[in-house]
Amino acid sequence: MRARLIIHGGAWNIPEDQVQDHLHGIKESLLTIFPKLLNGLSALDAVEQAVRILELNPTYDAGKGAFLNEAGEIELDAIIMDGRNLDFGAVGALQNILHPVSVARKVMEETEHAFLVGKGAQKFAREMNFPEEDPKSLLTARELAFFEAIQKDPNFRPHHPFGESPSDTVGAVALDQYGNLAVATSTGGTPRKLVGRVGDSPIPGAGAYADNESGAVSATGWGESIMKVLLSKSVCDLISHFPPKEAAERGIQMMQQKVGGLGGIIGISPEGSYLFAHNTPKMAFGYMDAKGKEVLRIKTDS
Ligand code: GLY
């Protein structure tokens, strides 16, 4: 089985002057992790490591660079899921941690639970020896300026109907040479979200899903709508009935028709076909092709 890796860095109307940064981070993650996958790294390790690279990159709404909530704080959500056995670990509204995806993995592997939130997640992260970050170290000047601008704007809505509102969640899907699928998704949620708001990203079936028998998918976009239709699981189910590309497009259409949601997905079928679709103006994503070369895209039709 040849390894596969696909990564996204958000779906919205990414401004032209931010396109290169979005694609560059995806390329860095692909080129760092894919050779390891070829050398036998597991899909689970691959998606965690790929997402850690994006959490470190201030371009995206994950880890460093995340949006601020209404109180001016960063609260992070993440999930990791193992397609071999449907095990997952997730964290929600986690503060002061750079790599929530790794805390999610520890929840999966070191506890009898699957999902920890808020102070409990933070306490657990501390117990697992994750460094507690100064909140300022996760904050970028860009997000502080954006927060200050939207605080004063009574018309600001976290989800613009034409995908103008930033949605820079990150995610990775991998198939390893042993035939196993895995997925990880990480986000800072939406700008000026209410304190304690958790979106789709850490919800299994919504922001991510992985099952060796049906496929693996990571989602990005308007969390409140992605959750309603359990977008990632819905697309995995569609893969059994339609060619992977069509399954992806049908999933996005279904979300748009049923709940008017905006977003994008990436995924891999059990046979190793990539799938991707979005109904936002752009989605930053990239994957490794059959020749081992990275393919970087900003739109599905570009
Ligand atoms: N899709 C990310 C969020 O809504 O939180």
Side-chain angles (χ1 to χ4, degrees), residues 146-165:
F146 182 53
F147 173 73
E148 285 170 356
I150 61 178
Q151 278 293 75
K152 293 178 204 138
D153 180 357
N155 297 318
F156 177 79
R157 295 286 172 276
H159 297 293
H160 189 281
F162 303 111
E164 302 295 338
S165 300

Side-chain angles (χ1 to χ4, degrees), residues 12-22 59 282:
W12 58 292
N13 196 10
I14 302 165
E16 276 311 309
D17 64 355
Q18 294 185 35
V19 164
Q20 283 316 315
D21 283 349
H22 277 74
T59 301
K282 295 175 192 163

Side-chain angles (χ1 to χ4, degrees), residues 61 77 159 167-169 185-190 193 197-202 207 219-227 262:
D61 173 33
D77 307 332
H159 297 293
S167 177
D168 273 338
T169 295
T185 304
S186 181
T187 190
T190 49
K193 63 187 179 182
R197 179 266 189 191
V198 173
D200 62 297
S201 300
T220 173
W222 181 352
E224 279 69 13
S225 55
I226 293 171
M227 280 192 271
L262 288 174

